[in-house]
Amino acid sequence: MEIHEILQSLEKGKISANNAKKLLSLYSIEEVEGFAKIDINRRNRRGIPEVIFAETKELDEIKKIVKKTIEKTNSVIISRIKKEDYAKMLSFSKKLKVKIKTGKNSSSLLLFKKPIKFHGGKVGIMTAGTSDIGVAEESRLMCEAMNCKCITSYDVGVAGIQRVFPILKKMINEDVDCIIVAAGMEGALATLVSTMVDIPIIGIPTSVGYGYGGKGIAALASMLQSCSLGLSVVNIDNGIAAGGIAANIANRAIRKNHSS
């Protein structure tokens, strides 16, 4: 039974509340040919859309998961599509007749059917360098999928520290609820930003860097060891997680403001 059929049956007294609850819980998981189980109800339960981690999946598997997910929900994010699969995945998505958002320097896609309304909170996103943009764009796609407006500014790292002040002023004036900072090398930008604002900061150490502490290790260690309070850190290159956390913070803040 589809959700509307379950609710109609409950309304007409054809099934009990307990039976309806059982049917609805079964509906929340969709199995795809025995190799994937999709958490269809995640958006309703947690406000977070389904995310497909494509890097370790075959193209045919990704297509089947996307098709099933978009049948049951409004949106889906396909994260880290392999370089050789990206154009094929983009072409397949267009055939589904859905709207598509891409990210600059990113191999991730946001697919959605109904227009996304930015009625959630506001999230600021900045990067230390241009090499960090792809990861930051994953965060942006995630935040926008969760109805958040994003204010972005890229290449404002500590190598030219004066660049960060105008965008911080803008983000404060825009009253953002959370700021995401993506930085590689020594990852200093996240600490710097967190010392200057009373806004929750989420640091993303990126795998930009080489030699001792390369591939994001130095940036991760630096952010974790930061003595600046108010800075939280996700794993290396995990723009999706940072976006999900930031959007949850922002959306919760907007709900609290509206209810007060």
Side-chain angles (χ1 to χ4, degrees):
M1 294 174 71
E2 296 293 330
I3 284 182
H4 72 277
E5 293 175 320
I6 297 169
L7 295 175
Q8 285 174 354
S9 296
L10 178 63
E11 186 180 33
K12 293 176 181 177
K14 293 181 178 179
I15 57 174
S16 66
N18 284 338
N19 197 18
K21 183 179 178 182
K22 182 180 177 181
L23 290 169
L24 287 170
S25 67
L26 290 172
Y27 181 86
S28 65
I29 301 295
E30 283 286 336
E31 190 164 342
V32 182
E33 296 185 11
F35 68 86
K37 293 180 176 64
I38 307 167
D39 187 1
I40 296 298
N41 205 35
R42 182 185 298 164
R43 181 64 188 248
N44 294 329
R45 189 177 72 251
R46 299 189 58 215
I48 296 175
E50 182 70 25
V51 181
I52 301 167
F53 180 56
E55 194 172 78
T56 56
K57 293 180 178 65
E58 296 300 320
L59 180 60
D60 189 54
E61 292 176 338
I62 301 167
K63 288 179 178 179
K64 288 175 180 176
I65 296 171
V66 167
K67 191 171 184 295
K68 178 63 73 172
T69 304
I70 212 71
E71 282 175 5
K72 298 292 183 178
T73 66
N74 184 59
S75 62
V76 61
I77 292 176
I78 314 164
S79 169
R80 300 196 185 186
I81 303 165
K82 285 179 277 192
K83 188 176 181 180
E84 62 269 25
D85 291 340
Y86 185 82
K88 297 173 186 175
M89 198 63 236
L90 196 57
S91 176
F92 171 78
S93 300
K94 289 176 180 177
K95 289 176 183 176
L96 292 176
K97 296 182 180 178
V98 296
K99 297 174 179 65
I100 303 168
K101 276 181 178 275
T102 61
K104 184 178 180 182
N105 299 347
S106 169
S107 61
S108 298
L109 298 172
L110 166 58
L111 312 183
F112 56 101
K113 293 184 291 189
K114 296 178 184 177
I116 294 174
K117 298 178 181 179
F118 298 123
H119 53 62
K122 294 180 183 178
V123 177
I125 305 174
M126 61 176 67
T127 73
T130 56
S131 298
D132 308 311
I133 291 175
V135 172
E137 285 283 277
E138 279 197 343
S139 294
R140 181 183 64 81
L141 291 177
M142 188 65 166
C143 289
E144 290 186 356
M146 295 173 67
N147 306 108
C148 288
K149 179 183 176 182
C150 294
I151 294 93
T152 63
S153 185
Y154 300 149
D155 195 27
V156 293
V158 298
I161 200 169
Q162 71 279 5
R163 297 174 295 179
V164 76
F165 302 121
I167 185 58
L168 267 184
K169 183 178 180 180
K170 180 180 179 181
M171 288 181 180
I172 292 168
N173 287 337
E174 288 274 357
D175 198 22
V176 298
D177 304 294
C178 189
I179 298 176
I180 296 170
V181 180
M185 302 301 283
E186 85 291 358
L189 183 63
T191 290
L192 172 69
V193 172
S194 71
T195 65
M196 301 181 71
V197 296
D198 62 347
I199 301 167
I201 307 297
I202 300 171
I204 313 173
T206 67
S207 55
V208 177
Y210 49 86
Y212 183 75
K215 297 183 179 179
I217 298 300
L220 174 62
S222 175
M223 290 184 191
L224 289 174
Q225 292 280 33
S226 175
C227 61
S228 178
L229 301 178
L231 169 64
S232 182
V233 186
V234 298
N235 207 347
I236 297 170
D237 291 338
N238 201 347
I240 290 291
I245 297 165
N248 258 337
I249 291 171
N251 287 337
R252 187 169 178 82
I254 205 78
R255 287 197 301 269
K256 290 281 187 180
N257 289 337
H258 285 168
S259 63
S260 61

